[in-house]
Amino acid sequence: MVTRRNFLRQSASTIAAGLVMPSVWGNNPYTDVVSANDKIRIGLIGCRNMGWANLADFLIHPDVDCVALCDIDRKLLESKAGEVRKLRNKTPDLYGDYRKLLDRKDIDAVIIATPDHWHCLQMVDACAAGKDVYVEKPVANSIAECDAMVGAAQKYNRVVQVGQQQRSGNHWHEMKRYIDSGKLGKIARVDVWANFNYAAMSLPVPDSPLPEGIDFDMWLGPAPKRSFNNERFHGSWRMFWDYGGGLLTDWGVHLLDMALWGMNVKGVPEKVMGVGGKYAYPQNSPETFDTMSVIYQYENFLIHWSNVAGAETGPYERNYGLAFKGTNGTLVANRESWEVIPEGDKSEAIRSLPDFQDHKDHVANFLTCMKNRDINTACTIANGSLCAKYAHLGNISARVGDSLTFDDQKKLFNHKEADKLFKPDYRKPWIFPEL
């Protein structure tokens, strides 16, 4: 009899023999009936928006079961449980406290799609509980938390995938191969930008009564205690420092990841120079910067980030993207296409379109790595940590109003005020994870 444990061991042998695991969408090559002992059991922590989108692509796979949902919103939990029941004719167990979900011995992996300030504690606790983890980007809301998460994955030997799905996209791999070919010539600068209306938000609103069924104290978790305000809650939390870092953490980790990958960068920059402010919509509610520019300096090139919240236009007729500026041409890319704009006749004009399977492929990669016990997922926790650090470095530089250097070994800036932003003070009874 093939048990789930035997299946995991046999999968490793399959890969070692050079056999390719098939894709599971389109004409599904898997049987419709999978033994209960062969199932990979998933728990979802954070059921709104991206969390649900993640779970939907997990449930494409017939060998995956969702056995538990966790959220601080009781009405949302009940609604999503009904949707799982329609998809699989099974009702998952519901939790308001993620720690109770992690106590389940039958859960193999968790999806973490909570606000950024929660990622670290939940991921570290999941690793300690013996679960593999699919965690949304940015991996954490501070540099210190990024380091703790890398340490937890290593200590507990867990398979971790960060939700930077572009690492699994055929489109982006084609882009990387073209850059590596050298056809762009010497690349001296990479421009990265993201301009989105949603980041400007709206005028402040007064505090209001807590909506029915919401455990707001649990939502705050390790963040400072405060009264409920709808502008700091669903979705818009990204624009407040206690929970997120604005467009630079929300979109920056995706796009900076491609810039770092393209330029083969493995560590922090030599210098970071960030400037920003609430210039476009100073009256609106966000704390994060609606207008921002960050220069990441290296020995022989620059990476430049920019954003303007409240706008939907940008360079090369793209409101978001990146441009590798080479001596022979410029490669411009976003999720819709990549193209080469030649410098005269020094290179050939090229345009390439994606297959839009990035996210499905990313989930499939994680499941395959789980089965093989392979920690080298498409986007490892180490890579997700590096990209998140870049976003935090830019924000910290702009917040202290000075250019910075950061020693990633000693965990120190050249600036005392910047050092204060390295690690958050967790609200009791929550304790920062020490490994």
Side-chain angles (χ1 to χ4, degrees):
M1 176 174 147
V2 179
T3 66
R4 181 165 55 93
R5 289 187 179 88
N6 288 335
F7 178 67
L8 297 180
R9 287 198 293 268
Q10 290 166 10
S11 297
S13 299
T14 300
I15 295 299
L19 302 179
V20 178
M21 297 293 287
S23 175
V24 295
W25 44 92
N27 295 322
N28 195 329
Y30 284 158
T31 177
D32 291 334
V33 179
V34 181
S35 166
N37 289 325
D38 292 343
K39 294 285 189 178
I40 295 176
R41 297 174 178 87
I42 299 291
L44 172 62
I45 305 172
C47 299
R48 191 174 293 272
N49 298 334
M50 201 62 209
W52 184 253
N54 287 331
L55 181 62
D57 278 347
F58 273 82
L59 292 179
I60 289 173
H61 300 253
D63 58 341
V64 172
D65 265 348
C66 175
V67 299
L69 301 176
C70 178
D71 203 277
I72 54 84
D73 185 335
R74 188 70 193 180
K75 290 183 179 179
L76 178 68
L77 268 180
E78 293 170 354
S79 172
K80 294 305 182 185
E83 293 187 45
V84 173
R85 185 168 56 251
K86 289 178 183 177
L87 288 171
R88 288 300 183 82
N89 200 30
K90 298 176 183 177
T91 302
D93 294 326
L94 306 183
Y95 298 91
D97 187 329
Y98 77 95
R99 294 168 295 185
K100 294 180 179 178
L101 182 152
L102 294 181
D103 284 341
R104 292 269 298 265
K105 302 302 182 185
D106 62 332
I107 291 178
D108 302 301
V110 295
I111 303 166
I112 297 174
T114 48
D116 302 350
H117 71 287
W118 258 119
H119 290 180
C120 178
L121 266 182
Q122 290 170 342
M123 183 268 192
V124 172
D125 287 347
C127 289
K131 319 301 182 189
D132 294 330
V133 179
Y134 186 106
V135 60
E136 263 307 317
K137 59 79 204 168
V139 299
N141 201 38
S142 71
I143 296 175
E145 290 172 315
C146 290
D147 290 332
M149 294 169 78
V150 172
Q154 293 172 344
K155 178 177 179 179
Y156 298 109
N157 194 30
R158 304 320 304 167
V159 176
V160 180
Q161 180 83 291
V162 179
Q164 292 168 212
Q165 64 269 18
Q166 290 168 181
R167 283 276 176 161
S168 291
N170 73 314
H171 167 67
W172 298 100
H173 281 267
E174 286 179 0
M175 179 202 78
K176 170 63 171 165
R177 287 193 292 270
Y178 186 90
I179 293 170
D180 288 347
S181 75
K183 293 178 181 178
L184 287 176
K186 179 68 175 71
I187 300 172
R189 178 186 176 106
V190 185
D191 289 314
V192 188
W193 67 94
N195 303 324
F196 288 93
N197 281 327
Y198 76 88
M201 292 177 56
S202 58
L203 293 171
V205 299
D207 291 348
S208 57
L210 190 64
E212 184 181 354
I214 299 292
D215 185 347
F216 187 58
D217 190 69
M218 185 56 122
W219 186 92
L220 287 170
K225 182 74 173 178
R226 61 167 294 121
S227 53
F228 179 79
N229 188 290
N230 196 58
E231 283 290 278
R232 301 171 67 100
F233 196 41
H234 287 324
S236 53
W237 55 260
R238 293 176 174 85
M239 307 306 155
F240 297 89
W241 297 122
D242 286 339
Y243 326 118
L247 282 171
L248 186 47
T249 56
D250 195 30
W251 270 92
V253 290
H254 281 306
L255 299 171
L256 288 169
D257 186 15
M258 297 299 97
L260 300 176
W261 192 28
M263 299 303 290
N264 298 309
V265 175
K266 304 296 184 184
V268 298
E270 294 179 359
K271 183 181 289 188
V272 182
M273 294 158 278
V275 291
K278 292 180 61 174
Y279 301 141
Y281 297 92
Q283 72 280 14
N284 284 10
S285 57
E287 293 176 344
T288 56
F289 305 125
D290 61 35
T291 308
M292 193 171 185
S293 183
V294 182
I295 296 288
Y296 301 95
Q297 183 177 345
Y298 308 86
E299 183 179 0
N300 53 10
F301 66 92
L302 301 174
I303 294 177
H304 174 227
W305 161 269
S306 66
N307 69 255
V308 179
E312 292 280 350
T313 57
Y316 305 98
E317 299 183 349
R318 292 167 167 84
N319 67 309
Y320 75 96
L322 62 162
F324 295 85
K325 189 72 174 176
T327 53
N328 295 339
T330 301
L331 189 152
V332 184
N334 66 9
R335 291 178 177 176
E336 281 72 54
S337 68
W338 68 265
E339 64 179 301
V340 175
I341 302 170
E343 287 288 334
D345 60 358
K346 293 181 180 180
S347 61
E348 179 184 0
I350 296 174
R351 184 175 176 84
S352 178
L353 301 176
D355 63 6
F356 298 108
Q357 296 299 311
D358 300 27
H359 196 273
K360 290 182 174 66
D361 288 346
H362 208 52
V363 170
N365 171 262
F366 174 60
L367 293 171
T368 299
C369 288
M370 280 186 65
K371 295 168 185 177
N372 302 335
R373 306 317 302 156
D374 181 2
I375 64 171
N376 294 309
T377 55
C379 187
T380 63
I381 187 61
N383 183 69
S385 170
L386 180 65
C387 299
K389 284 181 180 181
Y390 266 74
H392 295 312
L393 288 170
N395 273 332
I396 291 170
S397 177
R399 291 177 73 179
V400 302
D402 207 348
S403 62
L404 301 173
T405 60
F406 177 67
D407 188 325
D408 203 17
Q409 298 301 314
K410 296 180 180 178
K411 308 301 177 186
L412 289 172
F413 288 94
N414 62 331
H415 196 291
K416 290 183 178 180
E417 292 303 309
D419 285 332
K420 295 178 182 178
L421 298 175
F422 171 75
K423 178 180 178 181
D425 293 323
Y426 277 15
R427 178 174 68 106
K428 293 179 179 179
W430 306 103
I431 300 171
F432 189 93
E434 301 293 344
L435 301 174

